[in-house]
Amino acid sequence: MEDMISRIIERDREARASLTEARQLRIDSEQKISDMKAKKRDEYLERARANIKSLEKSEKVKAAIKFKAIENSYSRKTEKIEKIYAENNKKWTDELFEKVIER
């Protein structure tokens, strides 16, 4: 009988040890999963930031090209207006003067 009780106690100790080990494995596994999750998240964010920087550079180049094209267009239009003004300034002034005097 005493032998049986000591075997039961020994089995209980083994079961408790196994349970403690299983709990520790669970905690370790949860920590590993959490660490892997954080690592993957950080990797994703780093790739996203690099992608954003790349897109930002690309968009800046596109914007600069578009701005230069608009600037050139305005410059050509300004030159055209100034040329027309230079060609017609005297005529317009005279016509305006004549209209004012006629009244």
Side-chain angles (χ1 to χ4, degrees):
M1 184 75 167
E2 211 174 288
D3 186 41
M4 190 176 246
I5 293 174
S6 65
R7 278 194 287 175
I8 291 173
I9 292 172
E10 182 60 31
R11 297 273 185 219
D12 184 55
R13 281 189 199 133
E14 289 173 1
R16 287 175 192 239
S18 292
L19 183 60
T20 301
E21 185 179 338
R23 285 182 180 152
Q24 188 59 45
L25 283 172
R26 180 176 174 221
I27 290 169
D28 292 345
S29 295
E30 287 175 351
Q31 184 62 43
K32 283 182 184 179
I33 290 170
S34 178
D35 292 345
M36 287 173 56
K37 185 177 175 182
K39 182 180 176 186
K40 291 295 181 183
R41 181 180 163 273
D42 291 343
E43 289 173 357
Y44 174 80
L45 288 174
E46 188 60 35
R47 282 194 316 264
R49 285 185 186 112
N51 191 29
I52 288 170
K53 284 182 182 181
S54 175
L55 289 172
E56 182 180 17
K57 287 179 184 178
S58 174
E59 290 301 315
K60 281 183 179 180
V61 168
K62 288 179 187 176
I65 291 169
K66 192 171 186 178
F67 177 76
K68 191 66 177 169
I70 292 169
E71 194 175 54
N72 289 339
S73 173
Y74 285 153
S75 179
R76 286 191 306 273
K77 288 176 183 178
T78 300
E79 289 173 8
K80 187 175 180 180
I81 290 170
E82 287 175 355
K83 181 181 174 192
I84 292 170
Y85 175 77
E87 291 172 356
N88 295 302
N89 179 29
K90 177 78 169 125
K91 177 183 162 190
W92 291 339
T93 305
D94 290 344
E95 286 176 2
L96 186 60
F97 181 73
E98 287 298 321
K99 287 189 181 201
V100 169
I101 291 180
E102 286 177 9
R103 287 185 184 208

